[in-house]
Amino acid sequence: MTDEPTPQVPYCLRLPGFRSVAWQQWLPAQLPSIPPGAIDLDIGDWSLSCRDLDELLHALQQAGHEVQLLITRCRDTLISAAALGLPVREASNDIHTSEARDDQPNETKTHVDLTVHRGTLRSGDHIETRGHLLIVGDVNPGGSASAEGDVYVWGRLRGRAHAGSKGNSNAKIVALQLRPLQLRIAELVARGPEEQPQPGLAEQACVLDGAISIEPASAPFFAQQT
Amino acid sequence: MTNSRTILICSGKGGVGKTTLTANLGIALAGQGARTVVLDADFGLRNLDLLLGLENRIVFTAQEVLAETCRLDQALVKHKQEPNLALLPAGNPRMLEWLKPEDMQTIVGMLSERFDYVLIDCPAGIEDGFKNAVAAAKEAIVITTPEVSAVRDADRVIGLLNTNGVSPVQLVLNRVRPKMMANQEMLAVDDVTDILALPLLGLVLEDEQVIVSTNRGEPLTLNGHASPAAKAYGNIARRLQGEDIPLMDPAKSGRRGIRARVRQLMQTKIF
């Protein structure tokens, strides 16, 4: 151990925002500029399987860099990192922390707190976000989705959903097919309806008179909340 | 062999038919001329050897091969009647701790050099045994029964397979009872594929002969048995080989003679 104090903020290595190159080609050029020792690794939107991630960590390790924290915005990578036992943090979708989004058109900035997840949430999967959450796919029984804002499911919601997880009772849950095991909005809990909903009818759940009630989804689907 | 296929057979829940499928698929593939090895990764509670009737022939396991106290061909147990099929038990039930994902990859690497198909019989659950087995697998067959608990567990396993980069993943639906499905007392095939969203590799009907064959240590596919389950296993093997065989429709699987069919017809008219 040296007497030299470790830097307060470790170096943070960011993968490029757009996947135009494979990291295997990108990494060697970056290695010389990375200070040795512990670093943070910001994966950004990259979706890495266990094997990919392991390979990446291995490549860094061989160059003498120990990844002490992984930051990612992609759920698959999050799961991979958890499976490898790596400390991991989900990046907030705050526009200021993300270089990759700076060049997006201005109008998307109003939706900046919307997290989009593509793919099915299977049993045991859990996704939790700040802001609104849009799932393009199903939420299967045993899966759960939680957001501080609204939860939108462009598919079948058959698991659990929690909107307004930090207490916003104006939040709502919208799904193309709403057949949940359980719904939560803010502190309220409701079991899913017993009878099957009409097919082809998007429904939404929101708080009405202190209880969660389900009604046909109202346009606009993505209403902006304050 | 570069075109060797390593297929994991898993389910999450126990008792849905992983080992039975592995044994029957192994025999069926071997019978169709493919050099096949079945690897029992469930070595804590191993019983693939029982189903194949090879229990008394096991001398060495993969454990000894890795420790280099024996050669691979000494540890491989050739099947009595089906010379194309070999069994490799992963380990000794008394030594549960030794196996690591890398060991599993080494063993499967060795096996894939001399076999066309490496079938891995995965243990139930999603703990270490499952992780070891997944590490070595390239593709997977998820087997489930039409029950909510089995489907739920299968769903979880599919999620884990996806994050581990195992692809393709195919589905086998086991212990289907057409009558109960017709009466809506059991999850329908569509209900299951709806949730799991996987291509269906085969449907296996509930069949008492499976129990008989398990206790005898002679897989159903061994002697060209005419029972529905034997046929289903044979078809699964053919579909794996790339043949295009239409899936059986459980509603039309005439059980026994005309009386049953008439009864079924009447039932469907009532509903």
Side-chain angles (χ1 to χ4, degrees), chain A residues 7 9-13 30-39 63-66:
Chain A
V9 183
Y11 181 84
C12 183
L13 176 67
Q30 311 295 321
L31 283 175
S33 61
I34 307 173
I39 57 166
H65 307 295
E66 191 67 42

Side-chain angles (χ1 to χ4, degrees), chain A residues 86-169:
Chain A
L86 201 72
V88 63
R89 198 183 78 205
E90 195 173 5
S92 64
N93 283 284
D94 191 1
I95 194 138
H96 302 296
T97 62
S98 160
E99 293 169 352
R101 293 186 174 210
D102 280 354
D103 47 4
Q104 285 182 355
N106 221 5
E107 54 154 14
T108 58
K109 289 198 178 181
T110 55
H111 293 281
V112 76
D113 55 350
L114 178 74
T115 306
V116 181
H117 173 78
R118 288 181 181 80
T120 299
L121 282 189
R122 292 184 180 274
S123 172
D125 291 348
H126 175 68
I127 184 167
E128 201 174 332
T129 64
R130 299 166 62 189
H132 305 310
L133 171 63
L134 168 64
I135 295 167
V136 185
D138 294 350
V139 178
N140 279 358
S144 75
S146 161
E148 287 178 25
D150 302 342
V151 176
Y152 304 98
V153 181
W154 193 259
R156 284 168 292 205
L157 172 55
R158 288 181 286 202
R160 289 157 195 268
H162 190 179
S165 58
K166 289 277 159 68
N168 176 7
S169 55

Side-chain angles (χ1 to χ4, degrees), chain A residues 82-84, chain B residues 8 12 41-44 90 95-105 120-136 160 164:
Chain A
L84 289 171
Chain B
L8 179 72
D42 190 359
F43 51 87
M95 309 275 285
L96 295 179
E97 304 298 320
W98 71 279
L99 196 95
K100 292 187 183 62
E102 304 84 67
D103 299 330
M104 204 71 180
Q105 284 164 344
I120 307 174
D121 183 22
C122 182
I126 51 171
E127 290 82 31
D128 286 353
F130 173 77
K131 284 177 194 154
N132 286 337
V134 167
L160 293 172
N164 280 284

